[in-house]
Amino acid sequence: MKKIVTVMLSLVLCCGLFAGCGDEREDEGIKSATYDPSKEQIVVATNAAFAPFEYTVGDRFAGIDMEIAKGFADSLGQELVILDMEFDSVVTSVGKNGVDIAMAGLTVTEKRKESVNFTDTYYNASQMVIVKADDTTFDDCTTADEIVAKLNVSGVKIGVQAGTTGESFVRGSADLGFDGLLNAQCVAHSNAGLAVTDMKNGNVNYVVVDEAPAKNLVGKIDGIKVIDIKLTDEEYAFGVDKAQPDLLESLNAYLKGIKEDGTFDEILSKHFQG
Ligand code: GLN
Protein backbone atom coordinates (compact mmCIF):
# COMPACT_ATOMS: atom_id res chain seq x y z
CA MET A 1 0.00 0.00 0.00
CA LYS A 2 2.74 2.37 1.04
CA LYS A 3 4.54 1.59 -2.19
CA ILE A 4 1.44 2.33 -4.28
CA VAL A 5 0.95 5.63 -2.48
CA THR A 6 4.60 6.54 -3.11
CA VAL A 7 4.30 5.69 -6.81
CA MET A 8 1.10 7.69 -7.13
CA LEU A 9 2.62 10.61 -5.29
CA SER A 10 5.65 10.56 -7.60
CA LEU A 11 3.37 10.55 -10.62
CA VAL A 12 1.50 13.55 -9.31
CA LEU A 13 4.77 15.32 -8.57
CA CYS A 14 6.15 14.50 -12.02
CA CYS A 15 3.03 15.91 -13.57
CA GLY A 16 3.44 19.10 -11.62
CA LEU A 17 7.14 19.39 -12.34
CA PHE A 18 7.23 18.78 -16.05
CA ALA A 19 5.58 21.34 -18.27
CA GLY A 20 3.54 19.58 -20.92
CA CYS A 21 1.41 17.53 -18.60
CA GLY A 22 -2.10 17.68 -20.01
CA ASP A 23 -3.33 21.02 -21.24
CA GLU A 24 -2.31 23.15 -18.31
CA ARG A 25 1.18 23.57 -19.58
CA GLU A 26 2.26 26.55 -17.58
CA ASP A 27 0.76 25.01 -14.46
CA GLU A 28 0.27 28.41 -12.95
CA GLY A 29 -0.60 30.56 -15.95
CA ILE A 30 -0.46 34.34 -15.88
CA LYS A 31 -2.65 36.37 -13.60
CA SER A 32 -4.07 39.58 -15.00
CA ALA A 33 -3.64 42.70 -12.87
CA THR A 34 -6.77 44.77 -12.25
CA TYR A 35 -7.06 47.66 -14.67
CA ASP A 36 -6.19 50.94 -12.97
CA PRO A 37 -5.89 54.02 -15.20
CA SER A 38 -3.77 55.76 -12.55
CA LYS A 39 -1.04 53.12 -12.96
CA GLU A 40 1.47 52.44 -15.72
CA GLN A 41 0.13 49.17 -17.09
CA ILE A 42 0.24 47.24 -20.34
CA VAL A 43 -3.35 46.45 -21.26
CA VAL A 44 -3.77 43.61 -23.73
CA ALA A 45 -6.97 42.60 -25.51
CA THR A 46 -7.37 38.95 -26.44
CA ASN A 47 -9.86 36.15 -26.99
CA ALA A 48 -8.59 33.37 -24.75
CA ALA A 49 -10.19 30.48 -26.62
CA PHE A 50 -7.43 30.00 -29.15
CA ALA A 51 -4.94 27.51 -27.73
CA PRO A 52 -1.99 27.29 -28.07
CA PHE A 53 -1.81 31.10 -28.53
CA GLU A 54 -4.18 32.07 -25.70
CA TYR A 55 -6.33 30.05 -23.36
CA THR A 56 -7.38 30.08 -19.74
CA VAL A 57 -6.27 27.91 -16.84
CA GLY A 58 -8.89 28.64 -14.20
CA ASP A 59 -8.82 32.41 -13.77
CA ARG A 60 -5.34 32.68 -15.30
CA PHE A 61 -4.14 33.07 -18.86
CA ALA A 62 -1.70 30.90 -20.75
CA GLY A 63 -0.34 30.44 -24.26
CA ILE A 64 2.28 31.80 -26.62
CA ASP A 65 0.86 35.33 -26.93
CA MET A 66 0.18 35.57 -23.19
CA GLU A 67 3.75 34.60 -22.32
CA ILE A 68 5.09 37.19 -24.75
CA ALA A 69 2.71 39.77 -23.25
CA LYS A 70 3.92 38.99 -19.74
CA GLY A 71 7.59 39.05 -20.74
CA PHE A 72 7.10 42.38 -22.49
CA ALA A 73 5.27 43.98 -19.55
CA ASP A 74 7.95 42.66 -17.17
CA SER A 75 10.68 44.09 -19.42
CA LEU A 76 9.07 47.51 -19.03
CA GLY A 77 8.53 47.02 -15.29
CA GLN A 78 4.78 47.36 -15.75
CA GLU A 79 1.82 45.30 -14.66
CA LEU A 80 0.01 43.29 -17.32
CA VAL A 81 -3.75 43.58 -17.65
CA ILE A 82 -5.37 40.96 -19.90
CA LEU A 83 -8.87 41.66 -21.17
CA ASP A 84 -10.63 38.55 -22.50
CA MET A 85 -13.34 39.46 -25.03
CA GLU A 86 -15.11 38.20 -28.16
CA PHE A 87 -12.61 37.94 -30.99
CA ASP A 88 -14.48 40.38 -33.20
CA SER A 89 -13.99 43.13 -30.59
CA VAL A 90 -10.27 42.58 -30.07
CA VAL A 91 -8.89 44.82 -32.85
CA THR A 92 -11.48 47.57 -32.50
CA SER A 93 -10.95 47.75 -28.72
CA VAL A 94 -7.37 48.97 -29.17
CA GLY A 95 -6.86 52.64 -28.34
CA LYS A 96 -10.09 52.77 -26.32
CA ASN A 97 -10.57 52.46 -22.56
CA GLY A 98 -6.85 52.07 -21.99
CA VAL A 99 -6.32 49.09 -24.33
CA ASP A 100 -2.75 49.22 -25.66
CA ILE A 101 -2.24 46.05 -27.69
CA ALA A 102 -4.26 43.29 -29.39
CA MET A 103 -2.56 39.92 -28.94
CA ALA A 104 -4.77 37.18 -30.31
CA GLY A 105 -3.16 35.03 -32.99
CA LEU A 106 -4.01 38.01 -35.11
CA THR A 107 -3.49 37.80 -38.87
CA VAL A 108 -2.18 40.98 -40.48
CA THR A 109 -4.81 42.41 -42.84
CA GLU A 110 -5.15 45.75 -44.63
CA LYS A 111 -8.53 46.33 -43.01
CA ARG A 112 -7.12 45.85 -39.50
CA LYS A 113 -4.29 48.25 -40.35
CA GLU A 114 -6.94 50.97 -40.31
CA SER A 115 -7.41 50.32 -36.57
CA VAL A 116 -3.94 49.31 -35.32
CA ASN A 117 -0.25 49.48 -36.12
CA PHE A 118 1.04 45.95 -36.57
CA THR A 119 4.35 44.86 -35.10
CA ASP A 120 6.79 42.73 -37.06
CA THR A 121 5.24 39.35 -37.79
CA TYR A 122 6.07 36.40 -35.54
CA TYR A 123 4.27 33.36 -36.95
CA ASN A 124 3.12 31.93 -40.30
CA ALA A 125 -0.40 30.54 -40.26
CA SER A 126 -3.00 29.06 -42.52
CA GLN A 127 -6.66 28.04 -42.48
CA MET A 128 -7.43 24.33 -42.28
CA VAL A 129 -10.56 22.18 -42.28
CA ILE A 130 -11.70 20.08 -39.31
CA VAL A 131 -14.09 17.23 -40.11
CA LYS A 132 -15.63 14.36 -38.17
CA ALA A 133 -13.16 11.50 -37.79
CA ASP A 134 -15.24 9.13 -39.91
CA ASP A 135 -15.77 11.66 -42.72
CA THR A 136 -13.94 10.54 -45.88
CA THR A 137 -14.94 13.51 -48.09
CA PHE A 138 -11.43 14.96 -48.31
CA ASP A 139 -9.40 11.75 -48.14
CA ASP A 140 -8.33 11.89 -51.77
CA CYS A 141 -7.54 15.64 -51.77
CA THR A 142 -3.94 16.73 -52.17
CA THR A 143 -4.32 20.46 -52.94
CA ALA A 144 -6.16 23.45 -51.48
CA ASP A 145 -8.15 23.80 -54.72
CA GLU A 146 -9.46 20.25 -54.38
CA ILE A 147 -10.54 20.97 -50.81
CA VAL A 148 -12.22 24.21 -51.83
CA ALA A 149 -14.11 22.42 -54.62
CA LYS A 150 -15.58 20.03 -52.06
CA LEU A 151 -16.36 22.77 -49.53
CA ASN A 152 -17.95 25.15 -51.99
CA VAL A 153 -21.09 23.12 -52.54
CA SER A 154 -24.70 24.11 -52.10
CA GLY A 155 -26.15 22.65 -48.89
CA VAL A 156 -22.77 22.46 -47.14
CA LYS A 157 -22.59 24.35 -43.85
CA ILE A 158 -19.19 25.57 -42.66
CA GLY A 159 -18.61 26.65 -39.06
CA VAL A 160 -16.12 29.48 -38.40
CA GLN A 161 -15.19 31.84 -35.59
CA ALA A 162 -16.86 35.25 -36.04
CA GLY A 163 -14.62 38.05 -37.24
CA THR A 164 -11.67 35.85 -38.17
CA THR A 165 -9.81 35.36 -41.41
CA GLY A 166 -11.45 31.92 -41.43
CA GLU A 167 -14.82 33.64 -41.73
CA SER A 168 -13.39 35.89 -44.49
CA PHE A 169 -12.12 32.81 -46.31
CA VAL A 170 -15.59 31.30 -46.36
CA ARG A 171 -17.57 34.49 -47.01
CA GLY A 172 -15.03 36.02 -49.39
CA SER A 173 -12.91 39.13 -48.90
CA ALA A 174 -11.50 41.55 -51.45
CA ASP A 175 -9.04 42.78 -48.79
CA LEU A 176 -7.56 39.30 -48.38
CA GLY A 177 -8.02 38.18 -51.98
CA PHE A 178 -10.41 35.38 -50.96
CA ASP A 179 -13.08 34.55 -53.55
CA GLY A 180 -15.20 32.94 -50.85
CA LEU A 181 -17.06 29.65 -50.79
CA LEU A 182 -20.25 31.30 -51.86
CA ASN A 183 -22.22 28.17 -52.68
CA ALA A 184 -21.78 26.95 -49.10
CA GLN A 185 -23.41 28.45 -46.02
CA CYS A 186 -21.17 30.11 -43.42
CA VAL A 187 -22.20 29.72 -39.77
CA ALA A 188 -20.38 32.02 -37.32
CA HIS A 189 -19.62 30.94 -33.73
CA SER A 190 -17.95 32.82 -30.92
CA ASN A 191 -15.03 30.40 -30.94
CA ALA A 192 -13.78 27.40 -32.88
CA GLY A 193 -14.44 24.99 -29.99
CA LEU A 194 -18.14 25.85 -30.15
CA ALA A 195 -18.08 25.44 -33.94
CA VAL A 196 -16.64 21.94 -33.45
CA THR A 197 -19.38 21.11 -30.92
CA ASP A 198 -21.92 22.29 -33.49
CA MET A 199 -20.32 19.98 -36.07
CA LYS A 200 -20.41 17.03 -33.70
CA ASN A 201 -24.09 17.78 -33.09
CA GLY A 202 -24.72 17.65 -36.83
CA ASN A 203 -25.52 21.36 -37.31
CA VAL A 204 -22.54 22.17 -39.56
CA ASN A 205 -20.57 19.85 -41.82
CA TYR A 206 -17.07 21.25 -41.37
CA VAL A 207 -15.13 23.85 -39.40
CA VAL A 208 -12.53 26.19 -40.90
CA VAL A 209 -10.01 27.60 -38.43
CA ASP A 210 -6.28 28.41 -38.14
CA GLU A 211 -3.97 25.39 -38.28
CA ALA A 212 -2.48 25.47 -34.76
CA PRO A 213 -5.81 25.80 -32.90
CA ALA A 214 -7.31 23.21 -35.29
CA LYS A 215 -4.63 20.70 -34.33
CA ASN A 216 -4.97 21.64 -30.67
CA LEU A 217 -8.73 20.96 -30.78
CA VAL A 218 -8.15 17.61 -32.50
CA GLY A 219 -5.79 16.67 -29.65
CA LYS A 220 -8.43 17.53 -27.05
CA ILE A 221 -11.74 16.49 -28.58
CA ASP A 222 -12.54 12.93 -29.63
CA GLY A 223 -14.14 12.08 -32.95
CA ILE A 224 -12.64 14.82 -35.13
CA LYS A 225 -9.64 15.13 -37.46
CA VAL A 226 -7.86 17.88 -39.35
CA ILE A 227 -7.27 17.84 -43.10
CA ASP A 228 -3.60 18.77 -43.13
CA ILE A 229 -3.58 20.97 -46.23
CA LYS A 230 -2.99 24.72 -45.98
CA LEU A 231 -5.81 26.77 -47.49
CA THR A 232 -4.36 30.25 -46.97
CA ASP A 233 -1.08 32.00 -46.35
CA GLU A 234 -1.24 34.30 -43.29
CA GLU A 235 1.08 35.98 -40.82
CA TYR A 236 0.44 36.84 -37.18
CA ALA A 237 1.49 40.10 -35.55
CA PHE A 238 0.43 42.15 -32.54
CA GLY A 239 -1.79 45.19 -33.08
CA VAL A 240 -0.64 48.31 -31.23
CA ASP A 241 -2.56 51.50 -30.44
CA LYS A 242 -1.85 53.95 -33.28
CA ALA A 243 -1.47 56.78 -30.77
CA GLN A 244 1.55 55.03 -29.16
CA PRO A 245 4.37 54.77 -31.74
CA ASP A 246 6.92 54.38 -28.92
CA LEU A 247 5.08 51.32 -27.64
CA LEU A 248 5.17 49.81 -31.15
CA GLU A 249 8.90 50.42 -31.25
CA SER A 250 9.53 48.85 -27.83
CA LEU A 251 7.38 45.81 -28.62
CA ASN A 252 9.26 45.30 -31.89
CA ALA A 253 12.56 45.62 -30.03
CA TYR A 254 11.36 43.13 -27.40
CA LEU A 255 10.24 40.66 -30.11
CA LYS A 256 13.58 41.00 -31.90
CA GLY A 257 15.38 40.37 -28.61
CA ILE A 258 13.47 37.20 -27.74
CA LYS A 259 13.85 35.90 -31.30
CA GLU A 260 17.61 36.43 -31.07
CA ASP A 261 18.20 35.03 -27.58
CA GLY A 262 16.16 31.84 -28.07
CA THR A 263 13.31 32.74 -25.69
CA PHE A 264 10.78 32.91 -28.51
CA ASP A 265 11.70 29.45 -29.84
CA GLU A 266 11.51 28.06 -26.30
CA ILE A 267 7.99 29.43 -25.88
CA LEU A 268 6.94 28.00 -29.26
CA SER A 269 8.40 24.56 -28.67
CA LYS A 270 6.86 24.35 -25.22
CA HIS A 271 3.40 24.93 -26.72
CA PHE A 272 3.84 22.76 -29.77
CA GLN A 273 5.36 19.69 -28.10
CA GLY A 274 3.50 16.38 -28.30
N1 GLN B 1 -5.78 34.36 -37.26
C1 GLN B 1 -7.19 34.51 -37.32
C2 GLN B 1 -7.55 35.96 -37.48
O1 GLN B 1 -6.74 36.80 -37.25
C3 GLN B 1 -7.90 33.93 -36.11
C4 GLN B 1 -7.51 34.55 -34.82
C5 GLN B 1 -8.33 34.09 -33.63
O2 GLN B 1 -9.36 33.45 -33.78
N2 GLN B 1 -7.87 34.39 -32.45
O3 GLN B 1 -8.63 36.30 -37.85
Side-chain angles (χ1 to χ4, degrees):
M1 184 65 184
K2 198 168 164 207
K3 201 168 171 194
I4 294 175
V5 171
T6 316
V7 168
M8 282 178 68
L9 200 66
S10 325
L11 279 175
V12 169
L13 279 176
C14 281
C15 246
L17 283 176
F18 292 107
C21 179
D23 272 321
E24 303 187 1
R25 293 188 169 174
E26 275 97 321
D27 302 323
E28 295 264 287
I30 294 155
K31 194 163 166 46
S32 170
T34 306
Y35 177 56
D36 179 348
S38 70
K39 282 187 181 166
E40 287 278 343
Q41 295 175 320
I42 294 295
V43 182
V44 165
T46 196
N47 170 251
F50 199 69
F53 287 88
E54 37 271 327
Y55 55 98
T56 49
V57 182
D59 63 349
R60 291 171 175 255
F61 294 89
I64 296 160
D65 292 339
M66 299 297 97
E67 286 189 44
I68 295 173
K70 177 70 176 138
F72 177 57
D74 284 352
S75 77
L76 298 177
Q78 295 189 27
E79 287 180 353
L80 173 67
V81 177
I82 300 168
L83 303 178
D84 190 10
M85 58 186 75
E86 291 292 311
F87 180 76
D88 54 9
S89 300
V90 167
V91 172
T92 51
S93 74
V94 176
K96 294 171 199 147
N97 304 313
V99 178
D100 298 307
I101 314 170
M103 299 178 97
L106 204 59
T107 301
V108 175
T109 71
E110 291 306 314
K111 181 97 186 57
R112 290 173 182 166
K113 283 184 188 169
E114 292 168 11
S115 307
V116 293
N117 280 334
F118 279 109
T119 60
D120 297 332
T121 58
Y122 64 94
Y123 191 77
N124 291 325
S126 165
Q127 298 302 310
M128 280 198 180
V129 183
I130 302 177
V131 303
K132 286 195 209 150
D134 59 1
D135 189 328
T136 56
T137 310
F138 303 95
D139 282 7
D140 57 350
C141 292
T142 54
T143 65
D145 284 349
E146 287 168 5
I147 305 241
V148 164
K150 294 198 173 196
L151 287 173
N152 192 15
V153 172
S154 164
V156 164
K157 291 185 186 167
I158 306 174
V160 296
Q161 178 175 10
T164 61
T165 44
E167 181 174 28
S168 302
F169 180 73
V170 178
R171 293 199 197 274
S173 156
D175 173 20
L176 292 164
F178 297 153
D179 295 338
L181 309 174
L182 301 181
N183 294 327
Q185 187 186 333
C186 185
V187 184
H189 299 79
S190 60
N191 64 59
L194 293 175
V196 165
T197 305
D198 220 21
M199 181 178 78
K200 290 189 78 176
N201 289 337
N203 298 322
V204 297
N205 302 90
Y206 314 115
V207 173
V208 170
V209 64
D210 295 37
E211 174 177 359
K215 290 182 174 167
N216 190 279
L217 286 167
V218 167
K220 278 196 304 218
I221 301 173
D222 285 340
I224 59 170
K225 66 183 178 186
V226 68
I227 307 301
D228 205 348
I229 294 176
K230 296 181 196 300
L231 301 178
T232 60
D233 196 1
E234 305 178 27
E235 284 185 311
Y236 292 171
F238 304 120
V240 180
D241 176 11
K242 286 195 170 212
Q244 302 188 67
D246 293 352
L247 187 66
L248 176 69
E249 210 175 293
S250 18
L251 184 49
N252 271 332
Y254 178 77
L255 257 180
K256 188 165 183 276
I258 61 170
K259 282 181 188 169
E260 279 168 9
D261 73 8
T263 308
F264 180 74
D265 283 343
E266 264 171 40
I267 295 175
L268 279 193
S269 49
K270 178 163 108 190
H271 287 281
F272 282 109
Q273 73 186 7

